[in-house]
Amino acid sequence: MSSVYMNEMTWQEFNEKKCQVIILPVGSTEQHSFHLPLSTDSVIAEKISEIFAEKIGGAVAPTFTYGYKSKPMSGGGPLFPGTIDLNGETLIRLACDVLEELCRDGVTKIFVNNAHFENEAFLLEAIDLISQKYPNVKILESNWWDVLSQDIIDKVFSDVLFPGWALEHAAITETSLMMYLAPELVREDKIPTETGVTPIPYHKYPIVKGMVPESGALASAKGSSAEKGKIIVDAAVAEFVKIAAENY
């Protein structure tokens, strides 16, 4: 049975795929409140990458399951047990090494699918460094939230006010995505009933307890559903397919 996952292929099977788009999912290992697993970002990145790969005949590289540190106002940072963060330099080096290995293997089309808000600057630094060494390799980077139209956002946030992407942590979008992509990992009975923080226009270090709600959720997950998750996935994958068609 064929698979889009690179780590389930033999080297010969991957060699036959390397002329196609190779998708690199990037997530994190981070608290996602009482009701979602530490692997939330990684699961979302990988599952969306699988659907995307099936649409375009591509392959999915092994997922990065660790990411850069979240700030208090976008995830909680080191305040919760189980959150395992990388330093920025480590993520850059990791991404550089993996991207360069793919380039050396003869891959010429790479799509980095990031699902952890804080990763982007470090991934783009790695992509820039590698593109200078391998100018003939086309590397794209995107995420599921930036490609959503206002119409899709309005559909997903039909019950509550959209709080902004930084506070949409373990809230409606991620909860809905997990309900659709990996429902067996969602503890629906543990979704917090009262959540939310007041955004502040600065960052304060060292991070101390109390800067993030005890639940770890920054906004309400009220109104989450698998149906909304499907709306997000379908819209994001359609945009990824369009981006790939326009740029490779």
Side-chain angles (χ1 to χ4, degrees):
M1 184 176 175
S2 61
S3 169
V4 298
Y5 286 107
M6 179 178 161
N7 58 0
E8 295 178 0
M9 299 176 185
T10 66
W11 71 264
Q12 289 174 314
E13 290 166 343
F14 176 70
N15 194 49
E16 293 172 359
K17 276 292 216 183
K18 70 183 184 184
C19 61
Q20 304 300 322
V21 178
I22 305 302
I23 305 161
L24 175 61
V26 185
S28 70
T29 297
E30 178 186 48
Q31 74 84 15
H32 277 77
S33 190
F34 299 140
H35 62 292
L36 297 178
L38 297 164
S39 62
T40 291
D41 292 339
S42 301
V43 170
I44 291 171
E46 186 168 285
K47 295 287 188 181
I48 290 179
S49 295
E50 178 184 1
I51 298 168
F52 178 30
E54 288 171 347
K55 294 278 187 185
I56 63 172
V60 180
T63 302
F64 286 9
T65 57
Y66 298 107
Y68 183 66
K69 315 166 184 120
S70 281
K71 300 181 288 292
M73 290 296 104
S74 61
L79 296 174
F80 298 82
T83 295
I84 301 176
D85 295 316
L86 299 180
N87 289 326
E89 183 181 3
T90 306
L91 180 54
I92 291 170
R93 288 178 178 272
L94 174 63
C96 277
D97 286 353
V98 171
L99 292 172
E100 183 158 22
E101 285 294 298
L102 290 172
C103 293
R104 286 176 175 173
D105 280 346
V107 173
T108 59
K109 294 176 283 189
I110 302 170
F111 190 104
V112 180
N113 178 19
N114 174 41
H116 178 59
F117 191 75
E118 268 82 13
N119 285 339
E120 187 169 61
F122 303 99
L123 294 175
L124 291 178
E125 173 69 4
I127 290 169
D128 179 56
L129 293 172
I130 293 301
S131 67
Q132 292 177 44
K133 293 180 71 174
Y134 299 89
N136 294 326
V137 178
K138 293 183 179 179
I139 307 176
L140 303 177
E141 186 274 346
S142 192
N143 56 67
W144 60 261
W145 57 90
D146 278 339
V147 298
L148 299 183
S149 67
Q150 189 60 50
D151 178 58
I152 296 296
I153 293 172
D154 290 343
K155 286 180 182 177
V156 173
F157 290 90
S158 57
D159 303 311
V160 297
L161 188 67
F162 175 53
W165 289 122
L167 295 185
E168 251 301 294
H169 179 79
I172 286 181
T173 52
E174 289 187 321
T175 302
S176 295
L177 283 167
M178 289 296 284
M179 284 176 167
Y180 176 60
L181 297 169
E184 71 280 3
L185 298 179
V186 182
R187 289 76 163 167
E188 292 191 43
D189 60 321
K190 294 188 176 180
I191 294 176
T193 55
E194 292 186 15
T195 56
V197 298
T198 301
I200 55 175
Y202 59 88
H203 303 293
K204 179 181 176 181
Y205 288 81
I207 300 170
V208 295
K209 248 187 166 180
M211 295 176 76
V212 179
E214 286 189 14
S215 69
L218 303 181
S220 174
K222 181 184 177 184
S224 301
S225 68
E227 291 73 23
K228 288 181 178 179
K230 186 177 188 305
I231 289 172
I232 297 169
V233 170
D234 289 349
V237 171
E239 287 301 312
F240 286 172
V241 170
K242 189 187 301 183
I243 290 166
E246 291 173 351
N247 291 279
Y248 291 127

